Amino acid sequence: MAEPSGVVFPLTEGGRSTSALGRAVLADALRSADPVGARSAEHETNWRHGYLPHFRRLVEAGLPSRESALTIARDGLAALHSRMRVVRADGAEVGLAEAFAGDPAGEPLATATLDGGGVPERELSLPYRGQRLRGAELSRRLDAWVDAGVIEPSCAEAVRAVQANPDWLDLRDQRIVVLGAGAEMGPLPSILRWGGEVTAVDLPRPDLWRRLIRTTERYAGRLSLPVPPGTRADDPQLAGRAGADLLHGLPQVADWLLGMDGRLVLGNYVYADGATNVRVATAVDALTRQLRERREDVALAFLATPTDVFAVPAAAVRHAERGYAARGWGRRTLRTLSGGRLLHRNYPPGADPGINDSLVPQQGPNYALAKRLQRWRAAVDRADGARVSFTVAPPTRTRSVLRNRALAAAYAGAHRFGIEVFEPATSNTLMAALLVHDLRADRPAMDHPWQDEAYAAAHGGLWRVPYAPRSALGLAVLLGLGGARG
């Protein structure tokens, strides 16, 4: 097997071990706030299957104070940046920071800009189950989601603020940089629909760029693409020439973005399978730090996965407790027959805040680490004065989820437990509206990072269902498989 290049895991005695990196980063993150937790992470012998409690401990150890949470975030980021490496094209291996030093080894990036031919929309609308909801219909849907516990009330309030201020949808004064421009959960289609300006970064994949070019032509916005110097926007081969590789071209992407006019909103929507996800997440974080050090006008945007560990408000705990008290005899019997392994309560009574542990073992420690890096960056840079949009997105039937048979089945059976799984078009439009709110509304940072993470969360119900999600996961899979066979 060829030695990897670009952003890579550090070399240890056992090779470039993802498990060794995960253990070390979590241990360093916990060391100051929770020394016992740090030692536990360091000595975890089966990281691939034993990682779950250590990620929960990161949240628990940060709850006592804002300072504890920020120390964990800063130490975790420092641990990652000190360990991850970059293998250049000539084989030289350097640290992350050194990847930006000196002249880029590769060809610089130029820009091709396309203008859409549509009319900008100035009313918020949301695709939902074959309809496009707007006005009173959208407001009723928000009410229904809040009543069912699918979204937090602050999420509905934020969307209504965008409804009431349609001029907010005009994003021509912002340059929205969409890292992972082809992602199903990204805001690119909505921003172009509203007539905004998108700078797209994704791999050199002609089919992907052809799709993005067609989207631009259909809507009213403007799309800027990374291309080799001398490439024209009317080049018939434009889709085959566009693209940039964050793993191997960090200096080129950084220089390209540093030269952009207008305020940058750096949106992180990247995803890759397995260990590559951590490598790409690290590359994005290194790019983020580089841009923030060189430009004062960089805002950040993140989408958080709902299948993680979050501190949640007391109101969510009370909602779950009401559901638990009202559960039927069948579910009480099932819990008894399983010896308490199935359908145990989501929270201890009266917890404030509660800890919602929705980590899914099938997603693995690399996915958990990549998403935790984003949370750490959001918390640290918000504390340092940056404008940050961080929103928990709902469970969504994306291609990456449906490729996993167990997860696809669990999503198919999730509605039996009060969890709503969204279609990608609904999710990405809802999340784009929340991004608009975060860019336009003057909302100060809250007292503790967990409260910022919980604000406007659209978790699909995972925070407010009666049962701890993993205790219902196996049943959801069985019910989902049964439905598929039916």
Side-chain angles (χ1 to χ4, degrees):
M1 182 180 294
E3 178 73 7
S5 59
V7 178
V8 298
F9 289 89
L11 188 62
T12 64
E13 290 183 3
R16 299 192 186 274
S17 169
T18 63
S19 295
L21 186 278
R23 279 194 300 266
V25 169
L26 262 68
D28 281 358
L30 286 167
R31 203 171 309 282
S32 177
D34 181 3
V36 174
R39 288 194 295 272
S40 178
E42 282 180 318
H43 294 112
E44 176 61 64
T45 57
N46 187 2
W47 187 251
R48 292 188 184 278
H49 296 96
Y51 71 95
L52 298 172
H54 305 293
F55 279 88
R56 178 182 178 119
R57 199 147 185 171
L58 287 169
V59 175
E60 293 173 329
L63 283 182
S65 69
R66 178 178 185 271
E67 290 69 28
S68 295
L70 290 175
T71 294
I72 289 170
R74 289 194 175 103
D75 290 351
L77 291 172
L80 180 89
H81 280 261
S82 67
R83 285 179 168 82
M84 292 293 280
R85 310 293 290 171
V86 175
V87 176
R88 297 185 186 274
D90 61 3
E93 184 169 322
V94 299
L96 274 181
E98 297 170 83
F100 298 98
D103 294 330
E107 187 178 47
L109 293 170
T111 305
T113 300
L114 303 174
D115 289 309
V119 176
E121 294 192 8
R122 287 294 176 263
E123 180 186 20
L124 180 63
S125 64
L126 186 73
Y128 185 70
R129 296 183 177 177
Q131 298 179 302
R132 193 145 198 117
L133 307 181
R134 49 175 50 88
E137 286 184 331
L138 176 53
S139 187
R140 285 193 292 271
R141 172 44 44 196
L142 294 171
D143 286 339
W145 278 336
V146 170
D147 291 344
V150 171
I151 63 176
E152 291 303 290
S154 53
C155 177
E157 293 166 7
V159 175
R160 288 196 176 98
V162 178
Q163 279 187 289
N165 295 275
D167 56 304
W168 285 3
L169 297 177
D170 185 354
L171 295 172
R172 286 175 295 177
D173 60 329
Q174 316 275 333
R175 182 181 289 274
I176 314 295
V177 180
V178 181
L179 305 176
E184 287 183 271
M185 289 291 289
L188 183 145
S190 293
I191 295 168
L192 292 176
R193 179 189 294 271
W194 300 328
E197 183 151 337
V198 174
T199 296
V201 178
D202 214 315
L203 292 168
R205 292 175 176 167
D207 288 346
L208 180 154
W209 292 104
R210 274 191 284 271
R211 173 166 57 84
L212 296 184
I213 290 169
R214 287 195 299 269
T215 300
T216 304
E217 292 170 345
R218 188 164 66 250
Y219 295 141
R222 171 176 289 182
L223 182 70
S224 294
L225 297 71
V227 293
T231 304
R232 294 168 51 92
D234 58 359
D235 188 331
Q237 302 302 317
L238 180 62
R241 295 174 62 79
D245 186 342
L246 287 166
L247 280 182
H248 299 89
L250 270 179
Q252 291 82 14
V253 176
D255 284 354
W256 184 60
L257 293 176
L258 285 168
M260 293 282 181
D261 295 328
R263 180 195 187 191
L264 293 185
V265 180
L266 192 66
N268 184 350
Y269 306 98
V270 300
Y271 171 79
D273 290 331
T276 305
N277 202 20
V278 176
R279 295 171 62 201
V280 175
T282 300
V284 171
D285 198 69
L287 176 67
T288 302
R289 192 168 74 171
Q290 177 76 358
L291 294 179
R292 288 266 295 131
E293 288 175 352
R294 300 277 298 277
R295 291 183 63 147
E296 296 180 353
D297 63 344
V298 178
L300 305 180
F302 303 90
L303 288 186
T305 176
T307 52
D308 203 339
V309 184
F310 290 97
V312 306
V317 175
R318 291 192 296 270
H319 189 124
E321 284 299 295
R322 289 193 296 272
Y324 191 80
R327 69 199 188 283
W329 69 267
R331 294 191 178 188
R332 289 197 300 270
T333 302
L334 184 58
R335 171 163 168 72
T336 301
L337 292 176
S338 70
R341 290 188 301 274
L342 297 176
L343 301 182
H344 58 78
R345 66 195 323 149
N346 212 347
Y347 308 102
D352 183 13
I355 300 292
N356 180 266
D357 187 348
S358 294
L359 281 167
V360 176
Q362 288 86 347
Q363 291 181 308
N366 292 316
Y367 181 80
L369 180 58
K371 299 307 291 186
R372 195 58 57 101
L373 299 180
Q374 297 175 12
R375 291 172 64 178
W376 288 341
R377 177 58 61 193
V380 166
D381 281 28
R382 185 188 292 110
D384 290 342
R387 183 173 286 255
V388 175
S389 175
F390 178 97
T391 312
V392 178
T396 304
R397 293 184 182 87
T398 58
R399 288 185 295 270
S400 62
V401 166
L402 297 181
R403 282 200 301 267
N404 185 305
R405 186 167 178 263
L407 283 178
Y411 275 22
H415 66 282
R416 305 287 188 94
F417 299 93
I419 296 166
E420 180 166 349
V421 179
F422 284 46
E423 294 301 323
T426 303
S427 282
N428 65 43
T429 306
L430 179 63
M431 295 299 103
L434 294 173
L435 171 61
V436 169
H437 176 269
D438 290 342
L439 293 176
R440 298 302 193 197
D442 291 323
R443 185 181 70 83
M446 297 187 180
D447 293 337
H448 194 289
W450 82 258
Q451 295 168 313
D452 286 306
E453 292 184 337
Y455 180 80
H459 44 72
L462 288 167
W463 291 9
R464 290 178 173 248
V465 292
Y467 309 109
R470 278 204 304 281
S471 74
L473 179 65
L475 291 174
V477 170
L478 289 174
L479 292 168
L481 288 173
R485 285 196 296 270

